[in-house]
Amino acid sequence: MNILTLNCGSSSIKYKLFDMPKERVIARGQAERIGRADSILHHEIEGKAPFTGEQSLSGHREAIERLLNHLIGPEGGILNSVRDIVAVGHRFVHGGEFFRSSVAIDPGVRETLEACRNLAPLHNPHNLTGIDVCTELIPHAPQVAVFDTAFHQTMPDHAFTCAIPYRFYEENRIRKYGFHGTSHRYVSSRASELLGKGREEWRIVTCHLGNGSSLCAVRDGKSCDTTMGFTPLSGVVMGTRCGDIDPALPAHLVEALNIPLAEVMSILNHESGVLGISGLSPDFRDLESAADGGHARARLALTVYAYSIARGIASLIPAIGGLDALVFTAGIGENSPRMRARICAFLAWLGVELDAQGNEGGVPEIDVSRSGSPVRVLVIPTDEERLIARDTVSVLGYDGEMSTGERQRLSPEAVGR
Ligand code: AMP
């Protein structure tokens, strides 16, 4: 059965079409620069030549309509009609305390999602638009929301409580939520499978190191603590985000340096992190080559980042009572052996010993620790979409083959299209 996964951002939409339960990706692609005259559509469909085209996309509705047209079009398409899409799974960034797991979207859930809109003003409104557009364009297909925050809802209160007056939690739900939950869930569960039965329960810190970076302490498959907090601005140093800083610093920038608050927030979100330190780039490939060429601040930025990640890892160990394995994932975690080595060098005292040759490996899903290292170090490519597709199938109860009743419900006559 075909399950469409969608990740709707402010100006981009990424999609994958899975053949489930085989978990085979039969099409993937994205629309970028939505809302501009030079929007870009990119599709890769199994057995067809990849397609990239520039065309104006006025908004998310038009982008999703175009991508559906491509999937069912006579030239590059792979579906007979839109009815071949059985269900849609959406990445939904912030579900607050309302959602502890993925959920089928019905009118009541849609209302609660609306109540979450302002929890993540840069993300949730676009996720909601994606849901509404699919309701209009793929009306027969049930939809499921998979939350970045849900995995972290197992954190104990001593991990998620902010040390500010408690009324802000009671009245305004201000607390640590954590993000990248789908990625942390996927790689920690994969790590437990790869590590096998050696222990009753593995104590793992997963390191999602991409444009946004966060760490998560996982024990017995549950998130016990994480580095991001009320917003994805906090935690470790990132590409353009500052991570944890002195909480009085924004007020100082406003009051002593007369920078308007909105500009301060933009600086902390978009001009800080390794970009801010290096003055060069948020991309670690640029920073590595500049550092090799002697650029002192690129080198400093890389070391600040590595130290911040190592400190973050160490800070999470009390949450799980020890450390059996570290997992690296996402753009930097998967692709930069040098950054993995820098981070692990700060953690040698903890028993983190890398195998220098293995670490260079470039093989997906690999153990890069030295044989006998007290802490295992794994590299596992993340696959949030696969988990979204899996959740969509299981939340809707499609685990086996579809029942006859389900087939009838999705038949053209029943759907009326
Ligand atoms: P993500 O958000 O997971 O897509 O990660 C994107 C980031 O991964 C980019 O900004 C790069 O900094 C980083 N990245 C991707 N490939 C490499 C590489 N080969 N070496 C170092 N960093 C990389």
Side-chain angles (χ1 to χ4, degrees):
M1 81 189 93
N2 298 317
I3 304 289
L4 180 67
T5 66
L6 282 182
N7 180 353
C8 296
S10 56
S11 62
S12 73
I13 296 176
K14 292 188 188 132
Y15 80 89
K16 276 189 186 170
L17 187 67
F18 284 86
D19 175 15
M20 298 297 281
K22 292 182 200 137
E23 300 194 349
R24 207 177 86 227
V25 179
I26 50 179
R28 72 175 80 204
Q30 61 206 51
E32 287 174 81
R33 300 189 204 147
I34 295 172
R36 289 175 33 173
D38 58 349
S39 315
I40 293 180
L41 274 168
H42 178 74
H43 303 278
E44 287 172 41
I45 297 183
E46 199 177 52
K48 319 260 176 184
F51 167 90
T52 302
E54 204 177 287
Q55 49 200 154
S56 137
L57 296 171
S58 58
H60 287 65
R61 188 189 184 288
E62 193 178 359
I64 294 177
E65 201 167 25
R66 290 277 174 86
L67 87 81
L68 290 175
N69 284 345
H70 196 89
L71 288 174
I72 58 182
E75 283 162 35
I78 196 164
L79 303 177
N80 291 323
S81 93
V82 78
R83 282 189 302 275
D84 291 345
I85 297 172
V86 169
V88 184
H90 294 268
R91 175 182 182 218
F92 203 96
V93 167
H94 207 319
E97 286 188 332
F98 298 106
F99 299 103
R100 298 179 69 86
S101 58
S102 305
V103 66
I105 303 170
D106 62 19
V109 167
R110 173 68 184 75
E111 227 168 86
T112 312
L113 294 175
E114 186 63 46
C116 297
R117 180 184 285 271
N118 292 330
L119 284 174
L122 300 179
H123 299 95
N124 280 6
H126 311 294
N127 303 156
L128 282 163
T129 304
I131 291 168
D132 292 343
V133 170
C134 288
T135 306
E136 189 191 336
L137 298 179
I138 324 175
H140 66 277
Q143 301 183 62
V144 168
V146 179
F147 303 92
D148 275 15
T149 47
F151 183 56
H152 302 300
Q153 282 293 303
T154 48
M155 282 190 289
D157 56 2
H158 63 259
F160 73 66
T161 301
C162 300
I164 59 174
Y166 199 67
R167 67 173 184 278
F168 289 111
Y169 173 59
E170 290 177 312
E171 292 166 21
N172 309 99
R173 293 290 162 225
I174 291 175
R175 48 160 285 179
K176 176 190 278 195
Y177 285 100
F179 298 88
H180 294 140
T182 313
S183 176
H184 290 300
R185 177 157 72 106
Y186 177 81
V187 296
S188 60
S189 121
R190 196 69 199 113
S192 298
E193 282 168 21
L194 295 170
L195 291 166
K197 286 212 185 312
R199 292 181 54 89
E200 196 133 294
E201 50 186 32
W202 292 98
R203 298 167 300 180
I204 301 171
V205 172
T206 48
C207 308
H208 178 106
L209 311 182
N211 279 327
S213 298
S214 74
L215 316 176
C216 180
V218 182
R219 183 169 189 158
D220 199 16
K222 294 191 179 67
S223 167
C224 299
D225 200 354
T226 186
T227 51
M228 281 179 172
F230 182 66
T231 72
L233 181 58
S234 58
V236 296
V237 171
M238 302 177 225
T240 64
R241 290 176 236 165
C242 57
D244 290 343
I245 50 168
D246 184 331
L249 190 55
H252 178 80
L253 296 178
V254 171
E255 287 162 8
L257 304 185
N258 290 319
I259 306 174
L261 181 60
E263 198 179 325
V264 168
M265 294 317 292
S266 175
I267 290 169
L268 299 181
N269 271 291
H270 305 297
E271 297 174 34
S272 298
V274 292
L275 167 66
I277 298 168
S278 66
L280 197 66
S281 169
D283 192 310
F284 284 70
R285 288 161 290 199
D286 299 338
L287 296 177
E288 292 284 4
S289 59
D292 286 344
H295 194 293
R297 280 205 286 142
R299 198 175 303 147
L300 176 65
L302 291 167
T303 312
V304 167
Y305 182 82
Y307 177 63
S308 159
I309 303 299
R311 268 184 76 201
I313 292 168
S315 77
L316 289 175
I317 295 175
I320 46 178
L323 184 66
D324 301 310
L326 274 181
V327 181
F328 287 105
T329 194
I332 302 152
E334 291 166 32
N335 299 305
S336 177
R338 292 169 87 181
M339 183 50 73
R340 293 195 295 264
R342 272 189 207 96
I343 294 165
C344 291
F346 279 117
L347 297 171
W349 58 275
L350 198 59
V352 176
E353 296 169 17
L354 271 190
D355 177 86
Q357 211 181 343
N359 185 40
E360 294 294 330
V363 182
E365 296 201 330
I366 184 174
D367 184 338
V368 294
S369 48
R370 207 159 59 82
S371 140
S373 166
V375 176
R376 310 278 293 273
V377 184
L378 306 180
V379 180
I380 300 180
T382 194
D383 198 340
E384 290 155 289
E385 291 85 3
R386 187 176 300 271
L387 205 49
I388 293 173
R390 265 185 214 163
D391 275 13
T392 303
V393 167
S394 74
V395 163
L396 296 171
Y398 295 163
D399 287 82
E401 274 301 302
M402 259 190 297
S403 67
T404 316
E406 200 56 51
R407 276 188 206 290
Q408 278 166 356
R409 195 175 70 71
L410 294 170
S411 70
E413 299 73 37
V415 168
R417 281 166 65 101

